Amino acid sequence: MIRKTTALLAVGAFALTGCTENNAAPAAGDARHLAVTATDDSCQVAAATAPSGTVTFSVTNSGNKVNEFYVLGSDGLRIIGEVENIGPGLSRDLVLSLAPGEYFSACKPGMVGEGIRAPFSVIDSGEQVGPAGDDKQFVDQASTAYAGYVKDQTDQLLAKTQKFVTAVKAGKDDEARTLYPDARMHWERIETVAESFGDLDPRMDAREADLEKGQAFTGWHRLEKDLWPARATGYTAMTSAERAKIADTLLADTKTLHQRTRTMSFTADEISNGAKGLLDEVAAGKVTGEEEYWSRTDLYDFQGNIDGARVAWEGLRPLLKKKDATLDGQIDKEFANLQQLLDAQKQGAGFVTYDKLSKEQVKDLSDAVNALSEPLSKMTAAVLK
Ligand SMILES: [Cu+2]
């Protein structure tokens, strides 16, 4: 791991000139703009420190594996911000509002394991971190609204998971198959929050194809496979005891998730980066039909992710309109366009199965996701302005 000490020295010089008006998202050359070069076995951050305020990590993947970049709290567990799915040769920015303190940076080549970590310090710049004046009121409102949404969604997730688990254990497979995609939508709506609990997420939502060495196949998708074994060649159904064990653990984990989300609070960048993260989830697993390989209910998850992103954006809208009305208008337009395409696939209270989509329809959906991702990725920098 190579860190450039010259960049460290530059911090002082920039601090003297002051970081101009309103913490604008830092540009290249600024001490708050840090280039990150990720490879399959290294994670070079241009400096090991930055002044507090709005910090941009500009991550370039120079390796051959898909990579991720994280900023973690001093406990090494709390995710302050992340960018996922950075393909080889691609660059992605992570914009964060960082208070003084100790952090870790981490790249995760191949998206597995705990990543290549290094300490990262944020030095007090003397500037106010986070919104002030009118902006603060907007952010407080967005934060309250989003925390309420997360609580409500986990309430519903818990209630529906309870029903699902009961049906699964009673061998009422038809009922369980109906409940499955409906309950999961509540998970998908808050997926970036749920995923921030590194102990629960792999147990609850790991797909069989993504399992890491030594990881057991449990949670939602384990039960999915047992309920929809049609595509599983040579599959042996679970015994009632095996089923009960998986189902009970899923319910217990959902209760833990529910309890942990009672007191969560969210900053503007967490809400905004979360919205972008949900779009990444769609691009990575739903629009490709990989998430629900056995049940083919990917479009429910797709809608859930979009709902969550839309709610996050809606909460931030008053602030975004003030900072960048044009960007807000673009996001508005692209949400509407994407929703129209999804609406065309509605069937009853839900959606057609993924295999009913034509290649063209998948491409249209994928294009619409990308068209929305683009302005949405600029939202954090705009609201932190
Ligand atoms: Cu998922």
Side-chain angles (χ1 to χ4, degrees):
M1 230 163 302
I2 303 151
R3 284 172 191 281
K4 291 185 199 137
T5 44
T6 46
L8 277 175
L9 294 170
V11 172
F14 276 100
L16 281 176
T17 55
C19 192
T20 62
E21 341 143 36
N22 299 333
N23 298 344
D30 191 308
R32 291 192 180 113
H33 189 281
L34 300 159
V36 179
T37 308
T39 71
D40 295 350
D41 53 15
S42 71
C43 185
Q44 279 175 246
V45 183
T49 68
S52 55
T54 303
V55 178
T56 300
F57 296 89
S58 196
V59 189
T60 302
N61 181 2
S62 307
N64 297 311
K65 296 177 180 170
V66 175
N67 220 311
E68 296 176 335
F69 179 75
Y70 290 80
V71 173
L72 304 163
S74 58
D75 60 0
L77 293 172
R78 202 162 57 95
I79 297 170
I80 310 294
E82 59 173 319
V83 274
E84 296 183 349
N85 270 303
I86 314 169
L90 296 183
S91 293
R92 294 272 303 272
D93 281 357
L94 175 63
V95 183
L96 293 172
S97 177
L98 290 178
E102 298 304 318
Y103 299 85
F104 287 97
S105 61
C107 298
K108 222 189 252 190
M111 307 195 290
V112 293
E114 65 156 25
I116 303 163
R117 297 180 174 210
F120 187 81
S121 306
V122 175
I123 318 282
D124 195 351
S125 64
E127 285 172 38
Q128 148 130 16
V129 176
D134 287 353
D135 290 4
K136 185 169 181 328
Q137 213 185 327
F138 285 139
V139 170
D140 287 348
Q141 279 165 12
S143 176
T144 306
Y146 196 68
Y149 181 70
V150 169
K151 279 169 80 171
D152 179 47
Q153 289 305 317
T154 38
D155 282 344
Q156 296 187 57
L157 175 70
L158 180 55
K160 289 183 182 177
T161 305
Q162 178 93 60
K163 276 193 185 171
F164 171 73
V165 160
T166 305
V168 163
K169 287 172 74 179
K172 295 178 178 166
D173 287 14
D174 280 339
E175 194 185 324
R177 281 189 282 261
T178 307
L179 292 167
Y180 175 86
D182 185 37
R184 274 187 57 76
M185 268 187 87
H186 300 287
W187 167 278
E188 297 294 331
R189 284 187 180 135
I190 55 153
E191 186 165 20
T192 47
V193 176
E195 277 185 356
S196 69
F197 301 110
D199 54 341
L200 297 179
D201 180 49
R203 279 212 302 269
M204 296 175 74
D205 196 37
R207 294 178 51 249
E208 188 171 24
D210 294 337
L211 291 180
E212 291 172 31
K213 222 180 158 203
Q215 238 177 19
F217 183 30
T218 59
W220 284 106
H221 297 299
R222 181 67 192 92
L223 296 171
E224 179 204 359
K225 188 177 183 181
D226 209 54
L227 290 166
W228 283 273
R231 300 178 83 196
T233 31
Y235 179 70
T236 312
M238 280 194 268
T239 64
S240 324
E242 282 165 343
R243 261 196 183 199
K245 197 175 164 225
I246 302 275
D248 286 339
T249 307
L250 176 65
L251 185 58
D253 285 343
T254 309
K255 284 179 180 163
T256 306
L257 174 70
H258 182 265
Q259 181 233 319
R260 287 185 191 170
T261 50
R262 293 308 88 188
T263 51
M264 287 185 92
S265 61
F266 301 90
T267 58
D269 52 319
E270 283 170 346
I271 298 170
S272 181
N273 286 329
K276 180 61 179 35
L278 286 169
L279 258 285
D280 290 344
E281 296 285 345
V282 176
K286 281 78 174 187
V287 82
T288 55
E290 287 167 277
E291 176 84 7
E292 306 289 355
Y293 183 81
W294 313 109
S295 64
R296 312 276 72 201
T297 56
D298 309 83
L299 289 181
Y300 291 75
D301 296 18
F302 193 136
Q303 181 69 62
N305 286 159
I306 299 301
D307 288 343
R310 203 194 58 245
V311 167
W313 161 67
E314 279 170 349
L316 290 168
R317 277 195 97 173
L319 184 59
L320 183 60
K321 278 180 177 164
K322 184 184 151 193
K323 304 279 185 176
D324 190 339
T326 310
L327 182 64
D328 180 68
Q330 286 168 351
I331 294 172
D332 192 13
K333 190 181 133 230
E334 299 303 344
F335 262 121
N337 178 40
L338 179 55
Q339 189 58 56
Q340 206 181 357
L341 292 176
L342 272 172
D343 286 348
Q345 303 308 329
K346 281 210 168 128
Q347 190 177 67
F351 291 91
V352 299
T353 49
Y354 189 81
D355 48 285
K356 297 287 187 305
L357 297 178
S358 69
K359 264 191 185 147
E360 261 176 15
Q361 286 167 332
V362 171
K363 173 145 195 334
D364 287 349
L365 281 165
S366 163
D367 288 348
V369 167
N370 292 336
L372 173 58
S373 270
E374 211 270 321
L376 213 53
S377 68
K378 295 178 182 155
M379 182 159 72
T380 308
V383 296
L384 293 182
K385 221 170 13 192

